[in-house]
Amino acid sequence: MQNEERKLTPAELKRKEEFEETEAAFAMQGYRKERLTMGIVAANIFALGIALPIDIVLGIAFFAIHPAGSLTFDFAGALGVLAAFIVLIVVHELIHGLVWSLYAKGGRKAISFGFIVEYLTPYCSCSEPLPKHAYIIGALAPTVVLGLLPVLASYALGSIPLFAVGALMIIGGGGDMAIVLKLLRFKPEGTEVLLLDHPYELGLAAFVK
């Protein structure tokens, strides 16, 4: 299912209009557009394919350091993990926005947020073209901060709930990793490339000249 089939919110329609104006301006300058987007369903499938093996390896390392017999994880701990995951899903998008705003000329004004009701999925969008390294850093930052760092901390503390939160956030960042891999595999035929985050889909558009 393509994201164009869902009904866009007024904010998304406005961003779509601005995106199309930017696209037209780039076209007049001789740029052609290459889509580097993914549907939500496809992204979730790729997310599991990428993130789940990472979590398995990290889990093996955790239990090698802390044998399961010496650890406990009760119902209260499970509820805590679930609550933390829900909150950190929002924080995940805020981190995207924070990092991208550091590279955007308009700063925070270039950042907007949305929510896809059909998939209960929040998202962040940057309205300015970004350098490749900036886009990648902003895309992966939430997974590193909310996923990898808690897992590493759990190794030191022997905390299963902390490891579980980190592992879930790594899965939550699987879609971002899929887009980054798509971008890294993209080999444009041109000397100039501008990367513009898509206003309401998962991914970005590359303008090549």
Side-chain angles (χ1 to χ4, degrees), residues 61-62 65-66 71 148-160 162-163:
F62 177 87
I65 298 171
H66 304 284
L71 303 168
L148 184 58
L149 293 184
V151 166
L152 294 179
S154 76
Y155 287 177
L157 301 174
S159 170
I160 289 183
L162 187 58
F163 174 84

Side-chain angles (χ1 to χ4, degrees), residues 66-126:
H66 304 284
S70 64
L71 303 168
T72 60
F73 186 48
D74 55 16
F75 181 69
L79 288 180
V81 168
L82 178 60
F85 177 67
I86 292 172
V87 171
L88 292 180
I89 287 175
V90 177
V91 177
H92 177 112
E93 301 306 326
L94 293 176
I95 292 176
H96 279 315
L98 174 62
V99 176
W100 283 332
S101 71
L102 298 177
Y103 292 96
K105 293 180 181 179
R108 287 180 293 178
K109 294 181 179 179
I111 305 300
S112 57
F113 300 91
F115 189 82
I116 304 175
V117 177
E118 296 92 326
Y119 299 99
L120 299 178
T121 303
Y123 66 89
C124 172
S125 178
C126 180

Side-chain angles (χ1 to χ4, degrees), residues 54-70:
I54 294 175
D55 276 350
I56 290 174
V57 172
L58 294 174
I60 291 173
F62 177 87
F63 287 110
I65 298 171
H66 304 284
S70 64

